[in-house]
Amino acid sequence: MKLKLIALLAALCATVTPASAANTSYTGQFTYDNDVQLINFTVGETSTVGLRSWSYAGGVNAAGQTIARGGFDPIMALFNGAGQLIGQQDDGECGRVAADAVSRQCWDVNFEIELAAGNYTVSLQQYNNYSVSDNLADGFYYAGAQYQNFRNGFVDEMDIRRNGSWAFDILNVNPAAVIPAEVPEPASLGLMGLALAGMGALRRRRK
């Protein structure tokens, strides 16, 4: 009986497989130039995560969707599960992001960082609405209705009129190992029942 139980447990362990790294794409539209988009995500295993915007210069996101150019100049900030700032980026630099067809500037975000398992929050906002401090709970410099036109709408540093659209990818997130959701065959269920019953009988005998 012990040998059967060991074999059963080994078979169950063999069904646990690591999930492949995931890419997730988000799109949206800001109403006001001081809006902030917060996106929460969970890392199951240590991952080199990419945070990438597309809407300033346009391009094709991780979902294969063509994103139009013309969105606002984005900045992003990354916070851990306790709300503490880990890193932030204003511009992804030419060569890592495309140049906009009108402004010729490379102002999309392309940030990469190794993250341990845990919960995280990334913020996306228009330049230069930075976080007030290293604590997400403290908010952003231009929060509140009184700052809804802090840049006179969606305008970049070259005073070129933009729009409120945004597109953002979270790349290469390793989730935790998963167990395939398969219903065991009747024979497997019977073997499991016998194994558990045998363990119970063995414990009673020892007592």
Side-chain angles (χ1 to χ4, degrees):
M1 183 61 70
K2 285 184 180 179
L3 291 176
K4 288 184 179 180
L5 178 59
I6 291 172
L8 175 60
L9 292 175
L12 289 173
C13 290
T15 65
V16 179
T17 57
S20 58
N23 300 327
T24 310
S25 297
Y26 304 85
T27 59
Q29 186 81 23
F30 279 2
T31 301
Y32 300 106
D33 58 7
N34 69 335
D35 286 346
V36 175
Q37 180 67 44
L38 299 179
I39 303 172
N40 299 316
F41 65 99
T42 299
V43 174
E45 296 179 347
T46 299
S47 311
T48 301
V49 174
L51 303 171
R52 175 76 158 89
S53 72
W54 294 95
S55 46
Y56 185 79
V60 178
N61 67 7
Q65 179 182 3
T66 299
I67 305 299
R69 60 153 301 277
F72 57 86
D73 177 6
I75 57 175
M76 56 74 54
L78 177 65
F79 303 86
N80 64 19
Q84 295 300 303
L85 182 68
I86 298 173
Q88 57 186 340
Q89 189 179 87
D90 178 6
D91 304 325
E93 301 181 355
C94 294
R96 290 179 54 79
V97 300
D100 179 67
V102 174
S103 71
R104 304 299 181 186
Q105 301 304 310
C106 306
W107 285 343
D108 272 306
V109 169
N110 190 353
F111 184 75
E112 192 173 89
I113 187 171
E114 183 174 274
L115 297 177
N119 298 317
Y120 299 90
T121 299
V122 61
S123 70
L124 184 70
Q125 56 272 11
Q126 179 176 222
Y127 177 83
N128 54 347
N129 189 19
Y130 290 103
S131 55
V132 171
S133 73
D134 288 348
N135 193 325
L136 177 59
D138 291 335
F140 299 83
Y141 279 115
Y142 297 103
Q146 70 272 29
Y147 294 116
Q148 284 178 351
N149 276 310
F150 83 99
R151 290 193 64 82
N152 192 28
F154 299 102
V155 180
D156 67 19
E157 284 294 281
M158 299 180 66
D159 291 327
I160 296 174
R161 182 64 55 182
R162 313 294 293 188
N163 62 57
S165 63
W166 59 269
F168 196 76
D169 284 348
I170 300 178
L171 306 169
N172 197 45
V173 175
N174 287 317
V178 297
I179 300 176
E182 297 179 358
V183 179
E185 297 178 0
S188 298
L189 288 173
L191 179 59
M192 185 181 296
L194 288 173
L196 294 175
M199 287 180 65
L202 183 61
R203 287 178 179 174
R204 285 195 297 271
R205 287 177 185 173
R206 287 180 175 175
K207 290 181 180 179

mmCIF file of all heavy atoms in Angstrom, residues 137-179:
data_model
loop_
_atom_site.group_PDB
_atom_site.id
_atom_site.type_symbol
_atom_site.label_atom_id
_atom_site.label_comp_id
_atom_site.label_asym_id
_atom_site.label_seq_id
_atom_site.Cartn_x
_atom_site.Cartn_y
_atom_site.Cartn_z
ATOM 1 N N ALA A 137 0.595 56.085 -1.845
ATOM 2 C CA ALA A 137 -0.538 56.661 -1.128
ATOM 3 C C ALA A 137 -0.507 58.191 -1.095
ATOM 4 O O ALA A 137 -1.539 58.832 -0.901
ATOM 5 C CB ALA A 137 -0.588 56.121 0.298
ATOM 6 N N ASP A 138 0.665 58.785 -1.325
ATOM 7 C CA ASP A 138 0.778 60.249 -1.302
ATOM 8 C C ASP A 138 0.288 60.887 -2.585
ATOM 9 O O ASP A 138 0.144 62.112 -2.661
ATOM 10 C CB ASP A 138 2.226 60.664 -1.035
ATOM 11 C CG ASP A 138 2.673 60.335 0.382
ATOM 12 O OD1 ASP A 138 1.800 60.240 1.272
ATOM 13 O OD2 ASP A 138 3.892 60.150 0.594
ATOM 14 N N GLY A 139 0.031 60.089 -3.609
ATOM 15 C CA GLY A 139 -0.558 60.601 -4.836
ATOM 16 C C GLY A 139 0.429 61.263 -5.779
ATOM 17 O O GLY A 139 1.641 61.025 -5.719
ATOM 18 N N PHE A 140 -0.111 62.135 -6.654
ATOM 19 C CA PHE A 140 0.659 62.738 -7.736
ATOM 20 C C PHE A 140 0.544 64.258 -7.681
ATOM 21 O O PHE A 140 -0.415 64.805 -7.155
ATOM 22 C CB PHE A 140 0.170 62.184 -9.074
ATOM 23 C CG PHE A 140 0.355 60.690 -9.182
ATOM 24 C CD1 PHE A 140 -0.574 59.817 -8.634
ATOM 25 C CD2 PHE A 140 1.478 60.161 -9.796
ATOM 26 C CE1 PHE A 140 -0.384 58.441 -8.690
ATOM 27 C CE2 PHE A 140 1.671 58.781 -9.866
ATOM 28 C CZ PHE A 140 0.741 57.919 -9.306
ATOM 29 N N TYR A 141 1.536 64.929 -8.237
ATOM 30 C CA TYR A 141 1.649 66.376 -8.076
ATOM 31 C C TYR A 141 0.408 67.140 -8.524
ATOM 32 O O TYR A 141 0.013 68.118 -7.897
ATOM 33 C CB TYR A 141 2.867 66.904 -8.849
ATOM 34 C CG TYR A 141 4.166 66.735 -8.109
ATOM 35 C CD1 TYR A 141 5.169 65.894 -8.603
ATOM 36 C CD2 TYR A 141 4.405 67.405 -6.919
ATOM 37 C CE1 TYR A 141 6.364 65.739 -7.929
ATOM 38 C CE2 TYR A 141 5.608 67.246 -6.238
ATOM 39 C CZ TYR A 141 6.579 66.409 -6.742
ATOM 40 O OH TYR A 141 7.752 66.253 -6.062
ATOM 41 N N TYR A 142 -0.191 66.721 -9.600
ATOM 42 C CA TYR A 142 -1.294 67.490 -10.154
ATOM 43 C C TYR A 142 -2.649 66.815 -9.949
ATOM 44 O O TYR A 142 -3.540 66.911 -10.789
ATOM 45 C CB TYR A 142 -1.039 67.764 -11.636
ATOM 46 C CG TYR A 142 0.190 68.620 -11.857
ATOM 47 C CD1 TYR A 142 1.382 68.049 -12.300
ATOM 48 C CD2 TYR A 142 0.167 69.986 -11.589
ATOM 49 C CE1 TYR A 142 2.522 68.822 -12.478
ATOM 50 C CE2 TYR A 142 1.299 70.767 -11.757
ATOM 51 C CZ TYR A 142 2.476 70.182 -12.204
ATOM 52 O OH TYR A 142 3.602 70.950 -12.374
ATOM 53 N N ALA A 143 -2.792 66.160 -8.811
ATOM 54 C CA ALA A 143 -4.070 65.522 -8.485
ATOM 55 C C ALA A 143 -5.111 66.585 -8.121
ATOM 56 O O ALA A 143 -4.780 67.628 -7.564
ATOM 57 C CB ALA A 143 -3.888 64.543 -7.325
ATOM 58 N N GLY A 144 -6.360 66.322 -8.451
ATOM 59 C CA GLY A 144 -7.436 67.227 -8.063
ATOM 60 C C GLY A 144 -7.995 68.015 -9.231
ATOM 61 O O GLY A 144 -7.309 68.281 -10.227
ATOM 62 N N ALA A 145 -9.264 68.406 -9.094
ATOM 63 C CA ALA A 145 -9.972 69.109 -10.170
ATOM 64 C C ALA A 145 -9.315 70.431 -10.536
ATOM 65 O O ALA A 145 -9.391 70.885 -11.685
ATOM 66 C CB ALA A 145 -11.421 69.342 -9.753
ATOM 67 N N GLN A 146 -8.645 71.063 -9.558
ATOM 68 C CA GLN A 146 -8.030 72.376 -9.835
ATOM 69 C C GLN A 146 -6.866 72.281 -10.811
ATOM 70 O O GLN A 146 -6.407 73.301 -11.341
ATOM 71 C CB GLN A 146 -7.577 73.041 -8.525
ATOM 72 C CG GLN A 146 -6.388 72.394 -7.835
ATOM 73 C CD GLN A 146 -6.796 71.286 -6.877
ATOM 74 O OE1 GLN A 146 -7.820 70.637 -7.070
ATOM 75 N NE2 GLN A 146 -6.011 71.083 -5.832
ATOM 76 N N TYR A 147 -6.366 71.049 -11.062
ATOM 77 C CA TYR A 147 -5.227 70.861 -11.966
ATOM 78 C C TYR A 147 -5.618 70.132 -13.252
ATOM 79 O O TYR A 147 -4.744 69.632 -13.966
ATOM 80 C CB TYR A 147 -4.125 70.084 -11.271
ATOM 81 C CG TYR A 147 -3.489 70.820 -10.116
ATOM 82 C CD1 TYR A 147 -3.601 70.333 -8.815
ATOM 83 C CD2 TYR A 147 -2.772 71.991 -10.322
ATOM 84 C CE1 TYR A 147 -3.020 71.000 -7.753
ATOM 85 C CE2 TYR A 147 -2.180 72.669 -9.263
ATOM 86 C CZ TYR A 147 -2.303 72.168 -7.980
ATOM 87 O OH TYR A 147 -1.727 72.833 -6.930
ATOM 88 N N GLN A 148 -6.897 70.105 -13.569
ATOM 89 C CA GLN A 148 -7.331 69.330 -14.731
ATOM 90 C C GLN A 148 -6.830 69.882 -16.061
ATOM 91 O O GLN A 148 -6.937 69.221 -17.081
ATOM 92 C CB GLN A 148 -8.851 69.203 -14.734
ATOM 93 C CG GLN A 148 -9.345 68.180 -13.720
ATOM 94 C CD GLN A 148 -10.857 68.061 -13.671
ATOM 95 O OE1 GLN A 148 -11.559 68.865 -14.290
ATOM 96 N NE2 GLN A 148 -11.358 67.068 -12.956
ATOM 97 N N ASN A 149 -6.289 71.075 -16.060
ATOM 98 C CA ASN A 149 -5.665 71.618 -17.264
ATOM 99 C C ASN A 149 -4.261 72.118 -16.949
ATOM 100 O O ASN A 149 -3.850 73.180 -17.403
ATOM 101 C CB ASN A 149 -6.507 72.752 -17.861
ATOM 102 C CG ASN A 149 -7.626 72.223 -18.747
ATOM 103 O OD1 ASN A 149 -7.392 71.395 -19.617
ATOM 104 N ND2 ASN A 149 -8.832 72.685 -18.498
ATOM 105 N N PHE A 150 -3.524 71.312 -16.187
ATOM 106 C CA PHE A 150 -2.210 71.766 -15.749
ATOM 107 C C PHE A 150 -1.234 71.953 -16.908
ATOM 108 O O PHE A 150 -0.285 72.720 -16.809
ATOM 109 C CB PHE A 150 -1.629 70.820 -14.684
ATOM 110 C CG PHE A 150 -0.940 69.593 -15.211
ATOM 111 C CD1 PHE A 150 0.439 69.537 -15.320
ATOM 112 C CD2 PHE A 150 -1.678 68.476 -15.585
ATOM 113 C CE1 PHE A 150 1.080 68.406 -15.788
ATOM 114 C CE2 PHE A 150 -1.046 67.332 -16.047
ATOM 115 C CZ PHE A 150 0.343 67.298 -16.161
ATOM 116 N N ARG A 151 -1.465 71.279 -18.036
ATOM 117 C CA ARG A 151 -0.636 71.489 -19.224
ATOM 118 C C ARG A 151 -1.458 72.084 -20.371
ATOM 119 O O ARG A 151 -1.073 71.988 -21.538
ATOM 120 C CB ARG A 151 0.006 70.177 -19.684
ATOM 121 C CG ARG A 151 1.085 69.657 -18.750
ATOM 122 C CD ARG A 151 1.905 68.547 -19.399
ATOM 123 N NE ARG A 151 2.639 69.027 -20.557
ATOM 124 C CZ ARG A 151 3.815 69.663 -20.482
ATOM 125 N NH1 ARG A 151 4.366 69.889 -19.310
ATOM 126 N NH2 ARG A 151 4.422 70.065 -21.573
ATOM 127 N N ASN A 152 -2.584 72.687 -20.013
ATOM 128 C CA ASN A 152 -3.472 73.231 -21.041
ATOM 129 C C ASN A 152 -3.918 72.133 -22.005
ATOM 130 O O ASN A 152 -3.931 72.307 -23.228
ATOM 131 C CB ASN A 152 -2.795 74.365 -21.813
ATOM 132 C CG ASN A 152 -3.778 75.140 -22.678
ATOM 133 O OD1 ASN A 152 -4.970 75.206 -22.365
ATOM 134 N ND2 ASN A 152 -3.293 75.723 -23.763
ATOM 135 N N GLY A 153 -4.274 70.985 -21.397
ATOM 136 C CA GLY A 153 -4.691 69.845 -22.200
ATOM 137 C C GLY A 153 -3.518 68.933 -22.510
ATOM 138 O O GLY A 153 -2.503 68.950 -21.827
ATOM 139 N N PHE A 154 -3.655 68.145 -23.549
ATOM 140 C CA PHE A 154 -2.620 67.174 -23.914
ATOM 141 C C PHE A 154 -1.639 67.827 -24.889
ATOM 142 O O PHE A 154 -1.880 67.903 -26.091
ATOM 143 C CB PHE A 154 -3.262 65.926 -24.505
ATOM 144 C CG PHE A 154 -4.187 65.242 -23.536
ATOM 145 C CD1 PHE A 154 -5.563 65.397 -23.642
ATOM 146 C CD2 PHE A 154 -3.681 64.484 -22.490
ATOM 147 C CE1 PHE A 154 -6.414 64.785 -22.728
ATOM 148 C CE2 PHE A 154 -4.523 63.876 -21.572
ATOM 149 C CZ PHE A 154 -5.888 64.027 -21.695
ATOM 150 N N VAL A 155 -0.530 68.308 -24.323
ATOM 151 C CA VAL A 155 0.491 69.016 -25.087
ATOM 152 C C VAL A 155 1.853 68.492 -24.642
ATOM 153 O O VAL A 155 2.105 68.342 -23.446
ATOM 154 C CB VAL A 155 0.414 70.543 -24.839
ATOM 155 C CG1 VAL A 155 1.490 71.267 -25.646
ATOM 156 C CG2 VAL A 155 -0.964 71.077 -25.193
ATOM 157 N N ASP A 156 2.739 68.205 -25.582
ATOM 158 C CA ASP A 156 4.061 67.726 -25.186
ATOM 159 C C ASP A 156 5.021 68.887 -24.943
ATOM 160 O O ASP A 156 4.635 70.067 -25.021
ATOM 161 C CB ASP A 156 4.615 66.705 -26.188
ATOM 162 C CG ASP A 156 4.930 67.303 -27.558
ATOM 163 O OD1 ASP A 156 5.069 68.535 -27.661
ATOM 164 O OD2 ASP A 156 5.051 66.527 -28.525
ATOM 165 N N GLU A 157 6.278 68.566 -24.668
ATOM 166 C CA GLU A 157 7.263 69.592 -24.331
ATOM 167 C C GLU A 157 7.602 70.515 -25.499
ATOM 168 O O GLU A 157 8.192 71.571 -25.312
ATOM 169 C CB GLU A 157 8.548 68.936 -23.817
ATOM 170 C CG GLU A 157 8.438 68.431 -22.392
ATOM 171 C CD GLU A 157 8.258 69.584 -21.414
ATOM 172 O OE1 GLU A 157 9.257 70.249 -21.081
ATOM 173 O OE2 GLU A 157 7.115 69.820 -20.995
ATOM 174 N N MET A 158 7.225 70.136 -26.698
ATOM 175 C CA MET A 158 7.468 70.977 -27.870
ATOM 176 C C MET A 158 6.221 71.784 -28.235
ATOM 177 O O MET A 158 6.141 72.375 -29.318
ATOM 178 C CB MET A 158 7.906 70.106 -29.053
ATOM 179 C CG MET A 158 9.189 69.344 -28.801
ATOM 180 S SD MET A 158 9.689 68.317 -30.196
ATOM 181 C CE MET A 158 10.072 69.557 -31.431
ATOM 182 N N ASP A 159 5.242 71.766 -27.311
ATOM 183 C CA ASP A 159 3.967 72.478 -27.508
ATOM 184 C C ASP A 159 3.190 71.950 -28.703
ATOM 185 O O ASP A 159 2.403 72.679 -29.330
ATOM 186 C CB ASP A 159 4.185 73.990 -27.648
ATOM 187 C CG ASP A 159 4.640 74.630 -26.350
ATOM 188 O OD1 ASP A 159 4.212 74.147 -25.284
ATOM 189 O OD2 ASP A 159 5.424 75.596 -26.400
ATOM 190 N N ILE A 160 3.400 70.683 -29.013
ATOM 191 C CA ILE A 160 2.627 70.031 -30.068
ATOM 192 C C ILE A 160 1.400 69.403 -29.434
ATOM 193 O O ILE A 160 1.487 68.672 -28.447
ATOM 194 C CB ILE A 160 3.476 68.963 -30.791
ATOM 195 C CG1 ILE A 160 4.651 69.626 -31.509
ATOM 196 C CG2 ILE A 160 2.626 68.169 -31.778
ATOM 197 C CD1 ILE A 160 5.624 68.641 -32.140
ATOM 198 N N ARG A 161 0.251 69.704 -30.006
ATOM 199 C CA ARG A 161 -1.016 69.196 -29.466
ATOM 200 C C ARG A 161 -1.097 67.683 -29.647
ATOM 201 O O ARG A 161 -0.828 67.151 -30.709
ATOM 202 C CB ARG A 161 -2.169 69.886 -30.176
ATOM 203 C CG ARG A 161 -3.558 69.506 -29.686
ATOM 204 C CD ARG A 161 -3.811 69.899 -28.256
ATOM 205 N NE ARG A 161 -3.600 71.314 -27.989
ATOM 206 C CZ ARG A 161 -3.733 71.857 -26.785
ATOM 207 N NH1 ARG A 161 -4.047 71.089 -25.748
ATOM 208 N NH2 ARG A 161 -3.508 73.142 -26.609
ATOM 209 N N ARG A 162 -1.458 66.981 -28.560
ATOM 210 C CA ARG A 162 -1.606 65.532 -28.565
ATOM 211 C C ARG A 162 -3.043 65.183 -28.191
ATOM 212 O O ARG A 162 -3.908 66.074 -28.099
ATOM 213 C CB ARG A 162 -0.625 64.883 -27.574
ATOM 214 C CG ARG A 162 0.801 65.377 -27.650
ATOM 215 C CD ARG A 162 1.494 65.027 -28.937
ATOM 216 N NE ARG A 162 1.704 63.584 -29.070
ATOM 217 C CZ ARG A 162 2.433 63.035 -30.032
ATOM 218 N NH1 ARG A 162 3.018 63.798 -30.941
ATOM 219 N NH2 ARG A 162 2.594 61.726 -30.093
ATOM 220 N N ASN A 163 -3.312 63.893 -27.939
ATOM 221 C CA ASN A 163 -4.639 63.487 -27.475
ATOM 222 C C ASN A 163 -4.511 62.634 -26.214
ATOM 223 O O ASN A 163 -3.407 62.360 -25.750
ATOM 224 C CB ASN A 163 -5.415 62.756 -28.581
ATOM 225 C CG ASN A 163 -4.738 61.464 -29.015
ATOM 226 O OD1 ASN A 163 -4.485 60.576 -28.220
ATOM 227 N ND2 ASN A 163 -4.437 61.363 -30.321
ATOM 228 N N GLY A 164 -5.631 62.229 -25.650
ATOM 229 C CA GLY A 164 -5.621 61.533 -24.366
ATOM 230 C C GLY A 164 -5.497 60.022 -24.441
ATOM 231 O O GLY A 164 -5.675 59.337 -23.427
ATOM 232 N N SER A 165 -5.179 59.466 -25.595
ATOM 233 C CA SER A 165 -5.112 58.004 -25.726
ATOM 234 C C SER A 165 -3.823 57.453 -25.134
ATOM 235 O O SER A 165 -2.786 58.113 -25.136
ATOM 236 C CB SER A 165 -5.242 57.590 -27.189
ATOM 237 O OG SER A 165 -4.157 58.086 -27.947
ATOM 238 N N TRP A 166 -3.925 56.220 -24.605
ATOM 239 C CA TRP A 166 -2.739 55.540 -24.083
ATOM 240 C C TRP A 166 -2.808 54.055 -24.411
ATOM 241 O O TRP A 166 -3.895 53.487 -24.570
ATOM 242 C CB TRP A 166 -2.578 55.751 -22.572
ATOM 243 C CG TRP A 166 -3.725 55.270 -21.720
ATOM 244 C CD1 TRP A 166 -4.817 56.001 -21.323
ATOM 245 C CD2 TRP A 166 -3.896 53.971 -21.162
ATOM 246 N NE1 TRP A 166 -5.664 55.239 -20.559
ATOM 247 C CE2 TRP A 166 -5.126 53.991 -20.436
ATOM 248 C CE3 TRP A 166 -3.151 52.796 -21.193
ATOM 249 C CZ2 TRP A 166 -5.605 52.863 -19.754
ATOM 250 C CZ3 TRP A 166 -3.632 51.680 -20.526
ATOM 251 C CH2 TRP A 166 -4.837 51.727 -19.808
ATOM 252 N N ALA A 167 -1.648 53.450 -24.543
ATOM 253 C CA ALA A 167 -1.539 52.002 -24.773
ATOM 254 C C ALA A 167 -0.312 51.526 -24.022
ATOM 255 O O ALA A 167 0.758 52.122 -24.121
ATOM 256 C CB ALA A 167 -1.415 51.698 -26.267
ATOM 257 N N PHE A 168 -0.451 50.415 -23.295
ATOM 258 C CA PHE A 168 0.604 50.001 -22.378
ATOM 259 C C PHE A 168 0.669 48.483 -22.302
ATOM 260 O O PHE A 168 -0.359 47.811 -22.239
ATOM 261 C CB PHE A 168 0.309 50.577 -20.986
ATOM 262 C CG PHE A 168 1.477 50.557 -20.043
ATOM 263 C CD1 PHE A 168 2.504 51.477 -20.173
ATOM 264 C CD2 PHE A 168 1.547 49.625 -19.019
ATOM 265 C CE1 PHE A 168 3.585 51.471 -19.303
ATOM 266 C CE2 PHE A 168 2.617 49.604 -18.149
ATOM 267 C CZ PHE A 168 3.641 50.530 -18.283
ATOM 268 N N ASP A 169 1.898 47.956 -22.324
ATOM 269 C CA ASP A 169 2.124 46.517 -22.197
ATOM 270 C C ASP A 169 2.876 46.214 -20.901
ATOM 271 O O ASP A 169 3.792 46.956 -20.520
ATOM 272 C CB ASP A 169 2.985 45.994 -23.349
ATOM 273 C CG ASP A 169 2.228 45.859 -24.656
ATOM 274 O OD1 ASP A 169 0.985 45.945 -24.641
ATOM 275 O OD2 ASP A 169 2.898 45.668 -25.691
ATOM 276 N N ILE A 170 2.492 45.117 -20.249
ATOM 277 C CA ILE A 170 3.281 44.526 -19.167
ATOM 278 C C ILE A 170 3.775 43.185 -19.699
ATOM 279 O O ILE A 170 2.975 42.310 -20.036
ATOM 280 C CB ILE A 170 2.464 44.358 -17.883
ATOM 281 C CG1 ILE A 170 1.956 45.720 -17.407
ATOM 282 C CG2 ILE A 170 3.295 43.687 -16.786
ATOM 283 C CD1 ILE A 170 1.098 45.658 -16.157
ATOM 284 N N LEU A 171 5.089 43.028 -19.782
ATOM 285 C CA LEU A 171 5.683 41.933 -20.540
ATOM 286 C C LEU A 171 6.473 40.965 -19.658
ATOM 287 O O LEU A 171 7.112 41.370 -18.684
ATOM 288 C CB LEU A 171 6.627 42.501 -21.609
ATOM 289 C CG LEU A 171 6.023 43.551 -22.553
ATOM 290 C CD1 LEU A 171 7.123 44.218 -23.370
ATOM 291 C CD2 LEU A 171 4.989 42.914 -23.463
ATOM 292 N N ASN A 172 6.427 39.686 -20.038
ATOM 293 C CA ASN A 172 7.293 38.646 -19.481
ATOM 294 C C ASN A 172 7.072 38.410 -17.989
ATOM 295 O O ASN A 172 8.013 38.229 -17.221
ATOM 296 C CB ASN A 172 8.769 38.989 -19.735
ATOM 297 C CG ASN A 172 9.680 37.791 -19.551
ATOM 298 O OD1 ASN A 172 9.388 36.698 -20.031
ATOM 299 N ND2 ASN A 172 10.779 37.977 -18.834
ATOM 300 N N VAL A 173 5.813 38.378 -17.573
ATOM 301 C CA VAL A 173 5.486 38.105 -16.172
ATOM 302 C C VAL A 173 5.333 36.599 -15.985
ATOM 303 O O VAL A 173 4.475 35.971 -16.619
ATOM 304 C CB VAL A 173 4.194 38.822 -15.753
ATOM 305 C CG1 VAL A 173 3.798 38.432 -14.339
ATOM 306 C CG2 VAL A 173 4.375 40.331 -15.850
ATOM 307 N N ASN A 174 6.155 36.015 -15.127
ATOM 308 C CA ASN A 174 6.053 34.587 -14.829
ATOM 309 C C ASN A 174 5.041 34.370 -13.718
ATOM 310 O O ASN A 174 5.265 34.805 -12.590
ATOM 311 C CB ASN A 174 7.408 34.030 -14.391
ATOM 312 C CG ASN A 174 8.378 33.912 -15.547
ATOM 313 O OD1 ASN A 174 8.019 33.477 -16.631
ATOM 314 N ND2 ASN A 174 9.614 34.323 -15.325
ATOM 315 N N PRO A 175 3.937 33.683 -14.004
ATOM 316 C CA PRO A 175 2.993 33.344 -12.939
ATOM 317 C C PRO A 175 3.514 32.163 -12.137
ATOM 318 O O PRO A 175 4.522 31.549 -12.488
ATOM 319 C CB PRO A 175 1.723 32.991 -13.701
ATOM 320 C CG PRO A 175 2.211 32.486 -15.014
ATOM 321 C CD PRO A 175 3.479 33.237 -15.318
ATOM 322 N N ALA A 176 2.839 31.849 -11.046
ATOM 323 C CA ALA A 176 3.229 30.684 -10.248
ATOM 324 C C ALA A 176 2.940 29.403 -11.026
ATOM 325 O O ALA A 176 2.171 29.403 -11.988
ATOM 326 C CB ALA A 176 2.466 30.688 -8.929
ATOM 327 N N ALA A 177 3.556 28.295 -10.605
ATOM 328 C CA ALA A 177 3.276 27.000 -11.229
ATOM 329 C C ALA A 177 1.799 26.676 -11.084
ATOM 330 O O ALA A 177 1.165 27.019 -10.090
ATOM 331 C CB ALA A 177 4.117 25.918 -10.571
ATOM 332 N N VAL A 178 1.242 26.043 -12.082
ATOM 333 C CA VAL A 178 -0.181 25.722 -12.077
ATOM 334 C C VAL A 178 -0.383 24.221 -12.224
ATOM 335 O O VAL A 178 0.449 23.514 -12.790
ATOM 336 C CB VAL A 178 -0.927 26.456 -13.219
ATOM 337 C CG1 VAL A 178 -0.854 27.947 -13.029
ATOM 338 C CG2 VAL A 178 -0.365 26.070 -14.577
ATOM 339 N N ILE A 179 -1.506 23.739 -11.704
ATOM 340 C CA ILE A 179 -1.901 22.333 -11.860
ATOM 341 C C ILE A 179 -3.000 22.282 -12.898
ATOM 342 O O ILE A 179 -4.016 22.960 -12.762
ATOM 343 C CB ILE A 179 -2.407 21.746 -10.533
ATOM 344 C CG1 ILE A 179 -1.300 21.817 -9.480
ATOM 345 C CG2 ILE A 179 -2.875 20.314 -10.727
ATOM 346 C CD1 ILE A 179 -1.733 21.344 -8.113
#
